């Protein structure tokens, strides 16, 4: 079975408002799946359904091929959007308490917590009260608690919001490592540009609808336009440009470079490869810069939204 989690035709309504409109999502095992979309798209609602906090009005959810059941909650680690730790309790005490709730023995809980606190260099926080921690610090503690019982499915709702760039990166690295250790990760974010390199798969949600989903590399291949950004050093730039225009679609390009180059964006034919363009350029100029233009997930999102409007 390729997918750990399958959500089929999910509908969720709040009064007259439809928060999820026939959303289906498959999460392949041992992958990182990004649920991306602007604020209010329906991401949190979807994650709450998977965590059985709210019930869908229609649709089914399967974990490991079986309909999702109350008991499955032990296989899921969930970092909710609204972070909730008891402010007046001490960090270590609270972490131990929550770990016990997830079925770890006292000794095991203590050992794993010590390991994580050492790993994230937050050992000094053990005897602090949650209220003494900053928002980002508390979030780090809650991240640890979420992953501590090593569930096969990890769900993080906006895991990077509230973190500074250094800690956001640290958490990104931890998420990658959790995947390498066999976990399947589903997370949501409204900041599409900053996380695409993390995701193996994505789904784009917009106004309660899934606009697009699939493997990031496949989606990007589908949306790329055979365009290359080149920086050229030629004796006669005007002639070179004319020659290029007889053969390719040529436009201006803007990118940072230390060379005083002719900067162009060149689109090749559907059935051509970069080699043909390089061959053409080789005898006519020095190539200082040559990069295929790959659309960002954000570009793809905007394009899809416009097409669907
Ligand atoms: P996202 O996480 O993508 O920002 P949410 O899933 O939190 O979006 O919300 C999607 C939409 O559903 C929003 O318009 C929100 O106001 C609405 N919504 C969410 N929960 C409730 C609720 N309990 N009652 C009424 N409306 C809700
Ligand atoms: Mg949300």
């Amino acid at each position: 079975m390729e997918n750990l989690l399958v959500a089929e035709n999910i509908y969720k309504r709040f009064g007259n408002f439809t928060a999820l409109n026939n959303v289906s999502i498959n999460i392949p095992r041992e992958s990182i799946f990004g649920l991306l979309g602007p604020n209010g798209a329906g991401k949190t609602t979807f994650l709450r359904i998977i965590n059985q906090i709210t019930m869908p009005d229609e649709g089914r959810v399967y974990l490991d091929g079986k309909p999702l059941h109350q008991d499955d909650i032990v296989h899921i680690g969930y970092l909710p959007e609204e972070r909730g730790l008891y402010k007046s309790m001490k960090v270590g005490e609270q972490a131990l308490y929550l770990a016990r709730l997830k079925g770890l023995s006292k000794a095991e809980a203590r050992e794993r917590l010590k390991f994580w606190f050492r790993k994230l260099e937050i050992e000094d926080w053990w005897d602090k009260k949650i209220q003494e921690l900053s928002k980002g610090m508390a979030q780090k503690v809650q991240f640890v608690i979420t992953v501590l019982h090593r569930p096969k499915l990890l769900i993080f709702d906006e895991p990077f919001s509230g973190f500074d760039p250094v800690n956001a990166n640290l958490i990104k690295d931890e998420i990658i490592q959790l995947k390498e250790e066999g976990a399947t990760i589903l997370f949501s974010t409204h900041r599409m540009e900053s996380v695409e390199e993390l995701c193996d798969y994505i789904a784009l949600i917009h106004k309660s609808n899934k606009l697009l989903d699939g493997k990031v590399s496949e989606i990007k291949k589908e949306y790329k336009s055979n365009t290359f950004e080149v920086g050229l050093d030629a004796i006669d730039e005007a002639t070179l440009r004319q020659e290029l225009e007889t053969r390719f679609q040529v436009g201006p390009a803007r990118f940072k470079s230390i060379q005083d180059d002719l900067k162009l964006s060149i689109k090749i034919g559907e059935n051509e490869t970069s080699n043909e363009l390089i061959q053409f350029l080789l005898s006519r100029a020095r190539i200082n810069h040559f990069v295929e233009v790959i659309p960002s997930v954000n570009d793809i999102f905007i394009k899809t939204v416009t097409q669907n409007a």
Side-chain angles (χ1 to χ4, degrees), residues 6-13 18-25 42 45-47 49-50 54-62 208-210:
V6 173
E8 274 178 6
N9 309 104
I10 303 290
Y11 288 84
K12 180 69 189 179
R13 301 178 194 94
T18 302
L20 291 171
N21 184 29
N22 196 15
V23 173
S24 298
I25 280 172
T45 305
F46 184 81
L47 299 183
I49 287 172
I50 293 174
T54 32
M55 293 299 283
D57 293 313
E58 289 173 52
R60 290 154 306 276
V61 183
Y62 300 92
S208 322
N209 291 283
K210 183 185 78 181

Side-chain angles (χ1 to χ4, degrees), residues 78-142:
Y78 175 43
L79 177 72
E81 191 170 31
E82 65 294 343
R83 324 287 189 219
L85 294 170
Y86 304 103
K87 297 231 177 300
S88 55
M89 235 170 135
K90 283 188 178 164
V91 170
E93 196 185 350
Q94 180 158 183
L96 274 171
Y97 169 74
L98 292 170
R100 293 298 307 276
L101 285 187
K102 291 177 174 184
L104 296 181
S105 74
K106 203 168 184 176
E108 207 172 14
R110 185 175 290 277
E111 193 186 318
R112 289 195 198 179
L113 280 167
K114 292 277 166 183
F115 166 83
W116 273 100
F117 274 55
R118 215 174 302 126
K119 191 170 192 218
L120 299 184
E121 296 174 7
I122 58 174
E123 290 148 294
D124 316 348
W125 302 0
W126 190 266
D127 284 320
K128 280 196 203 296
K129 286 183 177 169
I130 292 290
Q131 63 199 14
E132 296 173 66
L133 304 184
S134 72
K135 193 172 164 223
M137 288 161 86
Q139 194 170 325
K140 230 163 155 176
V141 173
Q142 210 170 344

Side-chain angles (χ1 to χ4, degrees), residues 73-255:
I73 223 69
V74 297
H75 301 301
I76 302 177
Y78 175 43
L79 177 72
E81 191 170 31
E82 65 294 343
R83 324 287 189 219
L85 294 170
Y86 304 103
K87 297 231 177 300
S88 55
M89 235 170 135
K90 283 188 178 164
V91 170
E93 196 185 350
Q94 180 158 183
L96 274 171
Y97 169 74
L98 292 170
R100 293 298 307 276
L101 285 187
K102 291 177 174 184
L104 296 181
S105 74
K106 203 168 184 176
E108 207 172 14
R110 185 175 290 277
E111 193 186 318
R112 289 195 198 179
L113 280 167
K114 292 277 166 183
F115 166 83
W116 273 100
F117 274 55
R118 215 174 302 126
K119 191 170 192 218
L120 299 184
E121 296 174 7
I122 58 174
E123 290 148 294
D124 316 348
W125 302 0
W126 190 266
D127 284 320
K128 280 196 203 296
K129 286 183 177 169
I130 292 290
Q131 63 199 14
E132 296 173 66
L133 304 184
S134 72
K135 193 172 164 223
M137 288 161 86
Q139 194 170 325
K140 230 163 155 176
V141 173
Q142 210 170 344
F143 178 85
V144 169
I145 294 168
T146 307
V147 305
L148 200 68
H149 61 304
R150 298 179 189 154
K152 53 186 167 190
L153 179 62
L154 286 167
I155 298 176
F156 304 121
D157 199 352
E158 305 280 353
F160 307 106
S161 71
F163 277 134
D164 58 68
V166 174
N167 277 305
N169 247 329
L170 184 121
I171 293 299
K172 257 190 215 176
D173 291 344
E174 291 304 333
I175 290 178
I176 292 169
Q177 200 175 335
L178 286 160
K179 176 184 96 160
E180 282 165 2
E181 287 164 7
T184 302
I185 292 130
L186 168 63
F187 76 94
S188 77
T189 180
H190 62 279
R191 305 227 14 234
M192 287 177 252
E193 72 286 3
S194 61
V195 294
E196 57 178 275
E197 75 271 26
L198 186 64
C199 305
D200 303 304
Y201 298 82
I202 54 164
L204 295 180
I205 310 270
H206 181 57
K207 293 188 178 165
S208 322
N209 291 283
K210 183 185 78 181
L211 296 187
L212 180 72
D213 67 343
K215 205 169 184 175
V216 176
S217 54
E218 299 292 328
I219 294 174
K220 291 207 172 197
K221 266 184 211 152
E222 203 176 307
Y223 277 80
K224 75 187 181 73
S225 59
N226 283 339
T227 303
F228 296 82
E229 222 179 49
V230 297
L232 302 171
D233 190 358
I235 295 164
D236 184 353
E237 289 189 352
T239 308
L240 172 63
R241 203 183 156 133
Q242 273 174 9
E243 278 187 317
L244 274 164
E245 279 168 354
T246 61
R247 178 83 170 69
F248 306 101
Q249 258 185 61
V250 183
R254 224 188 282 151
F255 52 86

